């Protein structure tokens, strides 16, 4: 039995502590030095130490994957193939029917590629259905490359919007019968964490001969996502994209798992080394091999291997177990935040009614999201994100009643500026390493802010829409300066005559 099949329960606890940066400390505005509470995993997760160690070990054998014969070349080619294999295994995709390719530094690059590929596959079908909750990365590429985009409505209304409404999707498929090329939908939202029934969506889309692209950027690190939930062919996802930097492997590429038939024979967007059979002065022939034909040039080998190792480590723990641990924390956060007077959570807040992953966006009554995020950072050492999270239409739909209540004249010249501080939210998002005390710190910070809003407001001034503390300054270069870090590494080298580390 392979080691990951045993799903040792202790592995999760070990893994949760294996992240450089869990003990990072900063001096706060009140002079205290405390541990950072990292609640910004939906943007980028921290690095899984053991996965990083695999990439570091590979450095001893580092070579280019386009070399093939020497020992190191053989090793790196094996490692690169292993990384691709880990991706397919993670979603249980059959390697005979699916391929995995890496591109760019997140899922934006594979999404642009897929939009172009699918548009050339069936140019006669020029409608793409995109859910209202999508990140711009799973919206704009389809607008730009694939034709007319129609939004798929969500269940519910305003602040309590839920998942994609299957009945509304079916109506759209019927309305555009024969025109819909594909449906593009997030497995889980980066704003609310709300989960879409992607396999039901696939079955519906396939009944209308439409394909399905799933943006799994917010799902893969947090919950299982098999390519088909039941094994039934009509419930199989046609393409799944993800960002390695949200999967505990910073510096790794974006990736896509794609049905081979969709890519086969399709002219690559990028051409160069490593993806041709031969080149003559008059012509060139692209290899038929996948994923090679989708990966022109020297690949991000170390990133891919780090990502492959992170996926493998997660599989050894078992994604059901990872999911269950996160749900315990999420439910506590939702339950407690719901009872705080003045806190408003966005998206249907009942996880039994609208399942969600570890992402909670909220606002505090009468306080701008920028002020809340600044105070949480400066006084509580809590790293959260604020704004519209690159999902402007969704955030505006969730905020609709509040923005309307501002009663601004949209034709007035300064309406946009007046709207800006209120058009957004604060987002707390969880990762494998999130502990009860991080949730506790957030709740303490929220209660503190609501208890003395005027005190905090007086401490800040607004510069170009951002909240700046009037007296406390913590410039980035004073916290970490790459040049000083290099100075120290070189000094160590001078002193010992040996390479650092
Ligand atoms: C759901 C979702 N899709 C797409 C993206 C874009 O990812 P990247 O910037 O890594 O390409 C993000 C990033 O936040 C996301 O959360």
């Amino acid at each position: 039995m392979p080691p990951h099949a045993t799903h040792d329960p202790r592995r999760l606890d070990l893994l949760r502590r294996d992240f450089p940066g869990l003990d990072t400390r900063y001096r706060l505005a009140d002079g205290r030095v405390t541990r950072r509470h990292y609640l910004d995993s939906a943007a980028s997760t921290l690095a899984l130490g053991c996965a990083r160690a695999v990439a570091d070990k590979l450095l001893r054998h580092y070579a280019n994957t386009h070399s093939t014969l020497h020992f190191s070349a053989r090793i790196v080619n094996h490692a690169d193939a292993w990384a691709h294999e880990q991706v397919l295994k993670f979603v249980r995709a059959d390697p005979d029917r699916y391929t995995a390719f890496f591109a760019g530094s997140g899922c934006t690059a594979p999404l642009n590629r897929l939009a172009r590929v699918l548009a050339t596959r069936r140019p006669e079908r020029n409608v793409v259905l995109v859910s209202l909750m999508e990140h711009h990365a799973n919206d704009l590429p389809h607008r730009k490359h694939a034709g007319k985009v129609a939004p798929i409505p969500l269940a519910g209304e305003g602040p309590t919007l839920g998942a994609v409404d299957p009945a509304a999707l079916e109506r759209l498929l019927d309305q555009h019968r024969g025109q819909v090329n594909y449906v593009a939908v997030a497995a889980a939202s980066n704003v609310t964490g709300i989960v879409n029934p992607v396999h039901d969506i696939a079955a519906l889309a396939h009944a209308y001969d439409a394909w399905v692209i799933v943006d799994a950027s917010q799902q893969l690190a947090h919950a299982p996502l098999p390519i088909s939930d039941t094994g039934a062919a009509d419930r199989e996802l046609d393409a799944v994209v993800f960002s390695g930097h949200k999967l505990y492997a910073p510096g790794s590429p974006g990736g896509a798992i794609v049905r081979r038939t969709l890519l086969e024979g399709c002219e690559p967007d990028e051409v160069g080394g490593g993806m041709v059979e031969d080149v003559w002065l008059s012509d060139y022939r692209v290899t038929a091999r996948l994923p090679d034909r989708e990966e022109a040039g020297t690949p991000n080998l170390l990133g891919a291997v780090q990502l492959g190792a992170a996926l493998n480590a997660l599989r050894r723990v078992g994604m059901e177990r990872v999911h269950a641990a996160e749900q315990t924390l999420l439910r506590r956060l939702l339950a407690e935040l719901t009872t705080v007077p003045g806190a408003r959570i966005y998206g249907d807040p009942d996880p039994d009614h609208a399942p969600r992953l570890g992402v909670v966006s909220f606002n505090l009554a009468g306080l701008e999201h920028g002020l809340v995020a600044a105070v949480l950072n400066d006084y509580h050492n809590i790293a959260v994100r604020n704004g519209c999270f690159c999902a402007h239409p969704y955030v505006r739909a969730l905020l609709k009643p509040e923005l309307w209540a501002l009663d601004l004249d949209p034709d007035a010249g300064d309406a946009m500026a007046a709207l800006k501080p209120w058009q957004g939210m604060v987002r707390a998002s969880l990762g494998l390493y999130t502990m009860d005390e991080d949730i506790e710190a957030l709740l303490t910070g929220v209660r503190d802010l609501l208890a003395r809003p005027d005190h905090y407001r007086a401490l800040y001034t607004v510069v170009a829409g951002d909240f700046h503390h009037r007296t406390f300054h913590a410039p980035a270069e004073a916290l970490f300066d790459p040049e000083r870090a290099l100075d120290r590494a070189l000094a160590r080298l001078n002193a010992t005559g040996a390479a650092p580390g």
Side-chain angles (χ1 to χ4, degrees):
M1 190 187 283
H4 54 261
T6 60
H7 286 189
D8 182 344
R10 285 165 309 174
R11 281 220 180 96
L12 177 57
D13 289 333
L14 289 175
L15 229 54
R16 292 180 81 180
R17 282 178 247 132
D18 186 25
F19 288 89
L22 289 182
D23 55 355
T24 296
R25 297 167 77 81
Y26 299 123
R27 183 176 300 282
L28 305 186
D30 56 13
R32 290 178 306 135
V33 177
T34 67
R35 182 178 80 77
R36 171 183 67 164
H37 300 281
Y38 189 77
L39 289 173
D40 198 14
S41 296
S44 279
T45 52
L46 301 180
L48 179 58
C50 58
R52 177 73 187 195
V54 175
D56 287 346
K57 281 249 184 294
L58 184 61
L59 282 176
R60 280 174 51 77
H61 307 281
Y62 187 70
N64 191 297
T65 51
H66 295 171
S67 303
T68 53
L69 194 133
H70 56 78
F71 293 131
S72 301
R74 283 189 245 160
I75 291 169
V76 293
N77 272 287
H78 168 70
D80 190 44
W82 177 84
H84 286 82
E85 195 183 301
Q86 298 314 305
V87 173
L88 291 173
K89 282 190 170 158
F90 198 73
V91 297
R92 290 192 255 132
D94 172 4
D96 290 335
R97 295 188 302 114
Y98 284 84
T99 188
F101 72 83
F102 296 126
S105 53
C107 71
T108 301
L111 277 167
N112 274 277
R113 172 64 183 145
L114 286 172
R116 285 188 290 255
V117 166
L118 298 187
T120 53
R121 279 273 166 229
R122 300 196 292 195
E124 71 286 2
R125 286 180 171 245
N126 68 345
V127 175
V128 180
L129 304 183
V130 173
S131 99
L132 177 66
M133 70 162 66
E134 298 312 308
H135 186 283
H136 300 331
N138 196 25
D139 175 359
L140 303 186
H142 314 304
R143 295 192 199 192
K144 187 171 166 72
H145 305 299
K148 203 168 72 191
V149 163
I152 313 168
L154 307 174
E157 261 187 61
T160 56
L161 281 169
V164 160
D165 177 357
L169 170 60
E170 183 149 27
R171 277 196 297 278
L172 278 173
L173 286 162
D174 194 41
Q175 183 188 334
H176 300 281
R177 188 179 280 273
Q179 293 297 304
V180 179
N181 194 11
Y182 61 95
V183 175
V185 67
S189 158
N190 66 312
V191 178
T192 57
I194 287 180
V195 172
N196 281 316
V198 288
H199 300 99
D200 294 344
I201 290 171
L204 260 178
H206 290 155
Y208 288 81
D209 199 20
W211 292 311
V212 172
I213 295 182
V214 171
D215 174 0
S217 308
Q218 293 296 340
Q219 167 108 4
L220 284 196
H222 306 273
L225 183 71
I227 207 86
S228 169
D229 55 348
T230 61
D234 68 325
R235 300 179 68 79
E236 271 181 356
L237 313 175
D238 299 293
V240 175
V241 299
F242 60 87
S243 298
H245 67 90
K246 297 184 200 287
L247 263 160
Y248 309 117
S252 67
I257 301 138
V258 190
R259 206 184 276 287
R260 281 174 177 271
T261 48
L262 294 179
L263 293 172
E264 276 162 358
C266 198
E267 176 65 19
D269 286 332
E270 293 185 2
V271 289
M275 48 82 73
V276 279
E277 291 296 349
D278 208 346
V279 179
W280 305 273
L281 286 180
S282 56
D283 203 359
Y284 62 89
R285 185 172 342 116
V286 175
T287 179
R289 273 198 317 277
L290 284 167
D292 305 29
R293 56 184 287 129
E294 290 294 333
E295 294 183 345
T298 295
N300 174 357
L301 169 74
L302 291 178
V305 168
Q306 190 184 336
L307 171 61
L311 294 174
N312 189 298
L314 287 172
R315 232 161 20 93
R316 290 179 194 221
V317 171
M319 285 310 294
E320 286 82 5
R321 187 166 279 128
V322 169
H323 182 224
E326 184 181 280
Q327 288 291 302
T328 304
L329 288 172
L330 170 72
R331 280 173 182 263
R332 176 174 173 217
L333 175 56
L334 284 173
E336 297 219 16
L337 202 53
T338 316
T339 63
V340 174
R344 166 172 264 182
I345 297 171
Y346 295 97
D348 186 333
D350 177 0
D352 292 321
H353 185 244
R356 65 160 81 193
L357 301 182
V359 179
V360 177
S361 288
F362 62 92
N363 271 319
L364 303 182
L367 289 164
E368 298 90 332
H369 56 88
L371 177 60
V372 174
V375 172
L376 288 177
N377 181 69
D378 296 348
Y379 287 90
H380 295 275
N381 213 347
I382 299 171
V384 287
R385 174 94 157 245
N386 68 297
C388 293
F389 320 116
C390 301
H392 293 188
Y394 184 37
V395 166
R396 267 200 290 271
L398 289 162
L399 286 172
K400 205 167 180 178
E402 287 151 80
L403 295 179
W404 281 24
L406 291 176
D407 201 21
L408 292 168
D409 174 2
D411 292 328
D414 57 356
M416 287 314 289
L419 205 62
K420 199 166 173 245
W422 303 104
Q423 189 167 279
M425 307 162 177
V426 180
R427 179 181 74 187
S429 50
L430 319 185
L432 207 52
Y433 34 75
T434 309
M435 298 289 171
D436 253 334
E437 63 192 77
D438 300 312
I439 304 295
E440 191 53 54
L442 176 64
L443 292 164
T444 302
V446 161
R447 290 190 185 108
D448 176 36
L449 251 155
L450 283 166
R452 36 187 191 152
D454 296 338
H455 162 76
Y456 282 120
R457 188 182 294 286
L459 291 168
Y460 286 84
T461 176
V462 183
V463 182
D466 291 329
F467 284 78
H468 290 260
H469 201 284
R470 290 179 190 277
T471 56
F472 170 63
H473 305 288
E477 61 276 17
L479 300 174
F480 177 80
D481 182 1
E483 191 144 338
R484 286 223 317 273
L486 178 63
D487 287 345
R488 275 198 291 272
L490 289 172
R492 255 198 319 273
L493 188 58
N494 264 340
T496 64

